[in-house]
Amino acid sequence: MRKIEYLMEGKRTSDGAGVSLTRIIGTPELNMLDPFLLLDEFGSENPDDYIAGFPSHPHRGFETITYMINGKFKHEDTAGNEGYLTDGSVQWMTAGKGIIHSEMPEQTEGLMRGFQLWLNLPKEKKMVDPSYKDIQADDIPLVNFNGGQIKVISGLYKSILGPGRPHTGVLYLDVHINKSSNIEIPIEDDWNAFVYVYEGEIKANLCVPKGMLAVLETDGAFKCNAVANNTKFIIVAGEPIREKVARGGPFVMNTKEEILEAFDDYQSGKLG
Ligand code: MN
């Protein structure tokens, strides 16, 4: 069994044109958890917190996985893709060699809630052609267990394969569990893994309340039980890439020179 190694709280910040969010990975305290570069939770019933959205901006060198729990978002990019994210859907975007896109709310009131995860690409795949996939809520398999259910967004759970198609190994589950029930989740050995509780509270070797990230040890399955009603958490694990990481805003490459090149390409219109 893998235990919780440490807990960390997200940091309130804003991004895009002024969207309020909680940054969970990608903070000064937790810069990354290889292969994950960033995890943001956005969640508000106040349109002022999300209405400005994320107007046109570039990316290069990684993938973004947006899981919309509640709300509606529209995506448009320079590769000609257009998509809508609605309650329970996932957008899987591989920026690869470069994309310019906008992510804008399609609602002016009501609850907007979800996660955006940045998944690094290994050196040999950083400059692949960009690609984009909308995964509708109905296309995400639901596995029932005694005391709850699991949405399999990516990877395998009980031989059920999620629809996400990462370039490296990634397990991404959304677990809904009733109070006093427990669950055991197998994870590939050596993969880095975390749990983020977004409703209720779980208990493993430590208690993890709502709004807390738990970084797990690297070997064995993870087992926990819910200690609050209507507990919900995401558990995400990935094969570490173990390469040098150079970050520059929306670009994540291996060297500083490649970051400067990305800014040059963007400014000269060669990106996207
Ligand atoms: Mn973006």
Side-chain angles (χ1 to χ4, degrees):
M1 288 297 154
R2 56 176 88 196
K3 289 183 184 147
I4 295 168
E5 203 176 319
Y6 58 91
L7 298 177
M8 192 161 281
E9 208 173 352
K11 302 284 173 291
R12 294 297 299 175
T13 183
S14 86
D15 208 340
V19 176
S20 295
L21 48 82
T22 302
R23 183 144 296 159
I24 304 155
I25 298 174
T27 61
E29 292 79 10
L30 183 61
N31 186 250
M32 65 178 288
L33 188 69
D34 191 12
F36 306 109
L37 302 161
L38 177 142
L39 176 68
D40 282 344
E41 178 186 26
F42 48 95
S44 179
E45 292 185 8
N46 177 1
D48 292 344
D49 287 337
Y50 60 74
I51 204 76
F54 300 85
S56 191
H57 61 276
H59 292 295
R60 174 180 280 177
F62 59 98
E63 308 191 68
T64 67
I65 303 151
T66 309
Y67 178 28
M68 202 75 190
I69 292 165
N70 304 98
K72 292 178 174 59
F73 246 84
K74 184 181 184 185
H75 163 103
E76 283 179 294
D77 68 41
T78 43
N81 299 299
E82 193 178 296
Y84 292 93
L85 274 175
T86 57
D87 296 7
S89 67
V90 171
Q91 180 207 80
W92 200 294
M93 189 191 80
T94 306
K97 67 183 180 189
I99 203 162
I100 300 170
H101 75 164
S102 62
E103 299 156 287
M104 299 299 290
E106 276 284 296
Q107 65 188 53
T108 53
E109 56 183 22
L111 176 64
M112 175 81 80
R113 187 169 203 198
F115 296 101
Q116 186 168 87
L117 179 71
W118 288 13
L119 169 63
N120 204 7
L121 284 167
K123 186 178 174 59
E124 79 272 12
K125 292 182 177 169
K126 281 193 174 292
M127 296 299 275
V128 295
D129 286 334
S131 62
Y132 173 87
K133 187 183 181 190
D134 268 333
I135 301 167
Q136 301 306 321
D138 290 350
D139 296 328
I140 298 172
L142 207 55
V143 182
N144 290 303
F145 64 93
N146 186 15
Q149 51 183 211
I150 295 185
K151 294 183 189 187
V152 186
I153 294 168
S154 176
L156 270 178
Y157 177 75
K158 299 245 180 197
S159 77
I160 303 294
L161 181 67
R165 291 292 174 269
H167 286 74
T168 53
V170 171
L171 176 73
Y172 192 151
L173 307 175
D174 181 12
V175 182
H176 297 193
I177 179 169
N178 300 327
K179 189 174 178 179
S180 305
S181 299
N182 58 68
I183 181 74
E184 184 179 322
I185 297 160
I187 302 171
E188 296 278 338
D189 281 347
D190 297 323
W191 285 17
N192 287 324
F194 67 84
V195 166
Y196 182 77
V197 177
Y198 67 97
E199 287 295 343
E201 182 167 359
I202 61 165
K203 186 174 186 298
N205 57 309
L206 298 170
C207 282
V208 191
K210 175 179 173 173
M212 198 66 88
L213 175 80
V215 175
L216 310 182
E217 291 176 348
T218 50
D219 285 302
F222 177 66
K223 193 174 177 180
C224 69
N225 66 294
V227 292
N229 285 320
N230 190 33
T231 290
K232 298 178 182 176
F233 64 90
I234 54 171
I235 180 162
V236 182
E239 185 185 358
I241 292 172
R242 296 191 177 99
E243 288 176 359
K244 215 178 135 211
V245 173
R247 303 173 76 128
F251 309 123
V252 183
M253 303 299 289
N254 299 107
T255 66
K256 197 176 163 189
E257 290 68 33
E258 291 166 339
I259 293 293
L260 296 174
E261 192 186 347
F263 278 103
D264 278 351
D265 285 352
Y266 179 47
Q267 266 142 28
S268 61
K270 282 192 281 179
L271 188 149

